[in-house]
């Protein structure tokens, strides 16, 4: 029988990535640089796409949405960690913790679904090139970009409502640098079986299902590319997909390891390392992955930078 005089924790202690001041100083400098690069890179992608009419196509529309989500995902976790290191305080209130967790799941789900949507866009472009404009109409693009926002809001809100019913008593130290769902569930002194079942259902919906759809899309894409008679044509078709495949490998390689691997093989260190990958490293690298291999985007970025230099001189 559960005791009745328990009171839930009013705040949590985020233990962070390190407990030694020397390492924290290094981590502060490293993550500050990574965050600045993430913000600049993703905002430049958004500005370049919005300012160049030649890039007003479905592929770049989805890329701009992905850049916005990556910027928000990094902003939800990294600044709080930097502030905690700077002021030597590791506490976060219960309300702020749930708020951070809500937006973490909201933008994480958005990332996963948008990456799958971009795979569908590549599938239509390569497998049905003559009908691409008709299929990827502005209405469908709006639904494919707007639908994930509504879906993410519903799933994230459900997570928070299920979490709000739990009681946290005793240990309030969270072995993480932000409020993530799995470490929080371990701290609860009430039954978390409903939460864990919902986590598995959501993982299937927002990680496994999009990943399977991506694999199916690329299976069809590879078959279509292999039918292209010229080697140059095959190389060009593959090059349009290589950037997206790199992002798929980065994002799903880490999220599957955190949310779909058995709990017996997961440790706090592995969870934190994976979280750094998909909340900080991936959003930072995405602008480089997409711009370095894309002549149109590089040209738009060059024109944007030259325009800013000219206007300021």
């Amino acid at each position: 029988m559960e005791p009745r005089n328990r009171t839930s924790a009013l705040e949590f202690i985020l233990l962070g990535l390190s407990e030694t001041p020397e390492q924290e100083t290094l981590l502060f400098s490293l993550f500050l640089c990574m965050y600045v690069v993430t913000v600049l890179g993703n905002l430049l992608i958004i500005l370049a796409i919005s300012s160049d009419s030649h890039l007003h196509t479905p592929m770049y529309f989805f890329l701009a949405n992905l850049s916005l989500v990556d910027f928000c995902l990094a902003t939800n976790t990294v600044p709080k960690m930097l502030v905690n290191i700077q002021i030597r305080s590791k506490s976060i209130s219960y309300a702020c913790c749930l708020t951070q967790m809500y937006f973490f799941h909201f933008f994480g789900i958005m990332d996963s679904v948008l990456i799958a949507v971009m795979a569908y866009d590549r599938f239509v472009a390569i497998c049905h090139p003559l009908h691409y404009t008709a299929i990827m109409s502005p209405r469908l693009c709006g639904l494919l970009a707007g639908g994930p926002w509504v879906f993410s809001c519903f799933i994230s809100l459900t997570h928070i409502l299920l979490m709000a019913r739990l009681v946290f008593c005793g240990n309030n130290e969270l072995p993480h640098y932000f409020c993530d769902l799995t470490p929080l569930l371990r701290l609860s002194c009430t039954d978390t079986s409903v939460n864990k079942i919902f986590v598995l259902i959501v993982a299937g919906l927002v990680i496994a299902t999009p990943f399977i759809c991506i694999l199916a899309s690329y299976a069809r894409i590879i078959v279509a590319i292999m039918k292209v008679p010229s080697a140059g044509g095959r190389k060009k078709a593959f090059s349009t997909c290589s950037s997206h495949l790199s992002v798929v490998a980065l994002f799903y390689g880490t999220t599957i390891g955190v949310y779909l691997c058995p709990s017996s093989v997961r440790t706090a260190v592995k969870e934190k390392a994976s979280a750094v990958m998909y909340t900080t490293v991936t959003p930072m690298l995405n602008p480089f992955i997409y711009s370095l291999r894309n002549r149109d985007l590089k040209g738009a970025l060059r024109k944007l930078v030259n325009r800013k230099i000219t206007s300021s001189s």
Side-chain angles (χ1 to χ4, degrees):
M1 186 174 180
E2 296 179 346
R4 296 182 181 178
N5 60 350
R6 292 173 307 176
T7 57
S8 189
L10 296 177
E11 67 175 18
F12 296 100
I13 305 299
L14 297 172
L15 297 181
L17 296 172
S18 172
E19 295 184 10
T20 62
E22 294 80 11
Q23 288 182 334
E24 285 192 338
T25 303
L26 178 62
L27 286 171
F28 179 85
S29 303
L30 177 63
F31 275 82
L32 179 61
C33 292
M34 291 170 70
Y35 180 65
V36 170
V37 171
T38 300
V39 171
L40 291 176
N42 284 289
L43 290 183
L44 278 173
I45 293 287
I46 295 169
L47 288 172
I49 292 172
S50 60
S51 64
D52 193 330
S53 59
H54 295 98
L55 301 184
H56 292 177
T57 62
M59 182 178 79
Y60 293 108
F61 171 67
F62 295 132
L63 177 56
N65 274 269
L66 183 67
S67 293
L68 175 62
V69 169
D70 281 340
F71 163 74
C72 294
L73 183 62
T75 300
N76 181 54
T77 55
V78 179
K80 174 61 178 173
M81 183 188 71
L82 295 176
V83 169
N84 284 356
I85 293 174
Q86 190 67 22
I87 66 175
R88 300 283 189 243
S89 172
K90 297 185 177 183
S91 65
I92 183 170
S93 68
Y94 177 75
C96 288
C97 187
L98 291 188
T99 302
Q100 187 183 54
M101 193 179 77
Y102 170 83
F103 284 109
F104 166 69
H105 284 282
F106 180 86
F107 293 116
I109 293 168
M110 279 291 301
D111 236 342
S112 181
V113 179
L114 274 174
I115 290 171
V117 167
M118 293 174 77
Y120 175 72
D121 173 71
R122 291 299 82 209
F123 160 73
V124 175
I126 292 173
C127 297
H128 304 283
L130 299 179
H131 304 287
Y132 178 75
T133 305
I135 295 173
M136 299 303 292
S137 63
R139 183 173 179 274
L140 180 61
C141 289
L143 287 172
L144 289 174
W149 289 88
V150 179
F151 177 69
S152 299
C153 180
F154 172 75
I155 296 296
S156 303
L157 186 60
T158 306
H159 267 310
I160 299 306
L161 293 175
L162 288 174
M163 185 63 68
R165 54 185 277 277
L166 300 180
V167 177
F168 299 90
C169 47
N171 182 25
N172 68 336
E173 293 184 343
L174 202 63
H176 219 305
Y177 66 97
F178 68 93
C179 287
D180 196 5
L181 182 65
T182 308
L184 268 174
L185 290 178
R186 296 195 195 106
L187 293 184
S188 176
C189 48
T190 47
D191 182 26
T192 60
S193 55
V194 175
N195 299 72
K196 290 176 180 177
I197 291 169
F198 188 67
V199 168
L200 289 175
I201 292 171
V202 171
L205 284 173
V206 305
I207 299 176
T209 301
F211 186 62
I212 291 169
C213 291
I214 290 169
L215 292 179
S217 296
Y218 275 103
R220 295 284 302 275
I221 287 171
I222 290 170
V223 171
I225 289 175
M226 296 312 293
K227 292 179 181 178
V228 176
S230 67
R234 288 195 296 271
K235 184 179 179 181
K236 184 179 179 181
F238 272 121
S239 68
T240 63
C241 302
S242 59
S243 298
H244 185 256
L245 280 171
S246 301
V247 173
V248 169
L250 268 174
F251 183 83
Y252 286 101
T254 51
T255 51
I256 287 173
V258 172
Y259 293 103
L260 292 181
C261 282
S263 57
S264 57
V265 299
R266 293 202 304 257
T267 64
V269 174
K270 287 181 181 178
E271 284 182 352
K272 286 189 281 189
S274 297
V276 168
M277 285 297 297
Y278 65 78
T279 63
T280 309
V281 177
T282 302
M284 180 187 70
L285 292 180
N286 281 355
F288 294 100
I289 292 171
Y290 280 107
S291 62
L292 290 177
R293 293 186 156 194
N294 190 308
R295 282 185 298 177
D296 293 334
L297 193 53
K298 280 194 290 187
L301 285 169
R302 198 176 296 113
K303 283 192 289 185
L304 178 67
V305 173
N306 289 337
R307 196 181 307 135
K308 293 295 179 183
I309 293 173
T310 305
S311 62
S312 61
S313 60

